[in-house]
Amino acid sequence: MKIQEYQAKQILSKYDIPIPRGQVALNASFVRQIAEDLGEKVVVKAQVLIGGRGKAGGIRLANDPDEAEEIATEMMGMEINGFPIHKVLVEEAVDIKQELYLGIATDRLNASPVIIASSYGGIDIEDAAEEAPEKISRILIDPLVGLCDFQIRGLAVSIDLPRKHWKKFAQIANALWQIYKTNDASLVEINPLVISEENGLIALDGKMTIDDNALFRHPELADLRDLDMENPYEIEAQKYGIAYIHMTGNIGCLVNGAGLAMATMDILKLKGGEPANFLDIGGGAGAEKVSSAFRILLSDTQVKAVLVNIFGGITRCDEIARGITAALAEQKRPQIPLVIRLVGTNANEGYKILEKQNLPVAHSLLEAAEKTIALAGVKK
Ligand code: GDP
Ligand code: MN
């Protein structure tokens, strides 16, 4: 889960990392009021969960409250990469002497947290990595030892940080490590970390990603979720403990198990079909879960046909069949064609239930894929 800049900055600030004074606003007249209260030049920043807002017109300087209100009015109707702007952060404008990068991320390749610093801040770190790889320093952090002072000094040297900022830099790096650790984050990033004329080091931007699998340990963070920014079907699926992945085709896939999902989509693609999504109901799913999964699948208007592919192990195929029957009985949308393939525990009982309902079945995955593709109207 990603959180918005203003939320990330509240967390940075709680750990004594300096941030510009400011406030978040939902409408342009409040933006004017914040600008008046700040009483100086301000920056109006679109709160959307993507990078590169600067380039897209989502970060703008305003000289006075009138201008701030004007900019906010324009922004609130805008979209950046398809994400509508509903909130803006209004902050005192900072005089930038230099822009740095500082972040802690999970390095999957090395299975370790890594602290990254660069004197090449402000732009996307991916771009910086391409343009000036020698300007980026990465140091792995041993989670049992934690971030050490010598590592921080090494970073400070590598980015040519003037000596007078070292103490503050160390404090910020240590705070980032604490934030990363205590919140189960997979990324905490300050880009740019700015050297300013009047304040020394200050965090001008903040990004934070929290490991979804750890959210149950952080109810206060889970509340920060910005549902405007997420796929509504994914949110609905999460409520029922179903993994849902959205794609661009027109065939809905209901499966149990990630590996089976991959195999199902491979076969669909092989036969010329395009998956619209897949829902993984996991192992041991009962009728109720299947019924919720179906409701989600069928509310996706992209879906023109559904392929159900179930491997019965702990999951019992007759339970699945009952779930499908129940879901179809309650759905209001005009019936969408579906093809069901069951194999494993109680498959025969399952097929009997389905056949009683006149539901189309298939006895192999290839057959199921071909039938579904024909029903969805995809050309080979
Ligand atoms: P991002 O483009 O989404 O990463 O948004 P940022 O918050 O990082 O802002 C992008 C760029 O806008 C920064 O790198 C700065 O160059 C500029 N910027 C942001 N806030 C200020 C500010 O207060 N004063 C000045 N002069 N520039 C700013
Ligand atoms: Mn940034």
Side-chain angles (χ1 to χ4, degrees):
M1 177 183 94
K2 293 180 178 174
I3 60 175
Q4 297 282 9
E5 175 193 8
Y6 77 94
Q7 299 167 322
K9 277 179 165 163
Q10 279 162 12
I11 296 175
L12 297 182
S13 174
K14 218 169 77 191
Y15 285 78
D16 290 328
I17 296 176
I19 57 165
R21 292 183 302 138
Q23 235 182 308
V24 72
L26 289 163
N27 60 61
S29 59
F30 191 47
V31 168
R32 157 187 285 277
Q33 198 188 318
I34 300 168
E36 276 169 5
D37 292 347
L38 289 171
E40 53 183 305
K41 267 197 207 173
V42 296
V43 203
V44 183
K45 310 184 76 176
Q47 297 301 288
V48 286
L49 291 176
I50 54 175
R53 291 168 302 165
K55 276 182 245 161
I59 312 277
R60 289 171 61 188
L61 276 167
N63 289 305
D64 53 53
D66 279 343
E67 207 182 334
E69 185 175 5
E70 232 169 80
I71 289 173
T73 309
E74 275 173 38
M75 268 192 197
M76 295 285 197
M78 254 172 61
E79 281 187 357
I80 297 186
N81 276 8
F83 289 101
I85 302 172
H86 294 309
K87 289 181 195 138
V88 296
L89 175 62
V90 187
E91 286 183 335
E92 57 178 334
V94 172
D95 263 331
I96 300 175
K97 230 163 93 182
Q98 197 192 341
E99 301 193 39
L100 310 169
Y101 176 97
L102 185 65
I104 297 181
T106 306
D107 179 342
R108 293 182 183 212
L109 206 60
N110 291 299
S112 165
V114 61
I115 183 161
I116 305 165
S118 175
S119 56
Y120 212 65
I123 62 168
D124 274 352
I125 195 71
E126 288 84 1
D127 294 342
E130 254 174 45
E131 286 170 29
E134 74 287 352
K135 292 243 161 102
I136 299 174
S137 309
R138 304 162 43 91
I139 299 179
L140 297 181
I141 304 173
D142 183 328
L144 297 179
V145 179
L147 181 62
C148 300
D149 287 345
F150 77 89
Q151 295 178 311
I152 300 172
R153 281 195 296 274
L155 283 181
V157 170
S158 74
I159 62 170
D160 287 326
L161 186 71
R163 190 71 177 79
K164 67 170 174 183
H165 298 302
W166 280 26
K167 199 170 160 199
K168 195 72 206 168
F169 182 74
Q171 186 228 312
I172 292 173
N174 278 315
L176 272 191
W177 171 240
Q178 289 308 320
I179 292 169
Y180 174 90
K181 226 175 33 174
T182 26
N183 295 292
D184 288 307
S186 55
L187 174 78
V188 196
E189 180 186 271
I190 305 176
N191 186 25
L193 173 66
V194 154
I195 305 181
S196 76
E197 216 53 83
E198 66 268 47
N199 308 311
L201 292 178
I202 181 165
L204 227 57
D205 189 11
K207 279 200 175 64
M208 193 164 158
T209 309
I210 296 140
D211 186 343
D212 286 338
N213 294 315
L215 273 181
F216 73 99
R217 303 207 286 206
H218 307 284
E220 75 295 348
L221 292 173
D223 288 345
L224 299 181
R225 169 159 256 157
D226 195 335
L227 296 179
D228 284 352
M229 294 287 154
E230 294 186 30
N231 184 302
Y233 303 119
E234 285 180 22
I235 298 165
E236 181 71 10
Q238 273 173 8
K239 276 198 234 159
Y240 298 98
I242 299 164
Y244 171 92
I245 305 294
H246 190 76
M247 278 166 292
T248 52
N250 63 358
I251 297 175
C253 304
L254 195 152
V255 297
N256 60 334
L260 191 62
M262 298 304 127
T264 306
M265 288 188 297
D266 279 352
I267 297 292
L268 271 178
K269 290 278 243 186
L270 183 74
K271 291 287 164 187
E274 285 296 337
N277 54 42
F278 72 81
L279 271 95
D280 174 3
I281 55 172
E288 200 186 335
K289 201 168 184 185
V290 177
S291 166
S292 323
F294 245 95
R295 210 169 38 243
I296 296 162
L297 256 187
L298 297 173
S299 60
D300 180 347
T301 51
Q302 265 192 130
V303 172
K304 299 290 178 254
V306 175
L307 168 55
V308 181
N309 189 22
I310 298 293
F311 181 83
I314 300 169
T315 307
R316 289 166 39 197
C317 293
D318 57 323
E319 279 282 312
I320 301 280
R322 266 188 281 278
I324 295 172
T325 313
L328 293 182
E330 75 179 40
Q331 68 131 339
K332 295 186 188 67
R333 200 179 151 200
Q335 184 119 14
I336 289 195
L338 74 157
V339 178
I340 304 149
R341 183 244 181 171
L342 309 169
V343 69
T345 311
N346 291 358
N348 287 336
E349 287 82 344
Y351 277 129
K352 269 185 215 143
I353 293 169
L354 296 173
E355 274 156 7
K356 220 186 270 171
Q357 304 285 328
N358 280 327
L359 289 168
V361 297
H363 291 273
S364 81
L365 179 50
L366 272 180
E367 181 197 342
E370 281 168 353
K371 279 188 176 170
T372 318
I373 291 166
L375 288 168
V378 182
K379 285 195 201 79
K380 273 202 184 177

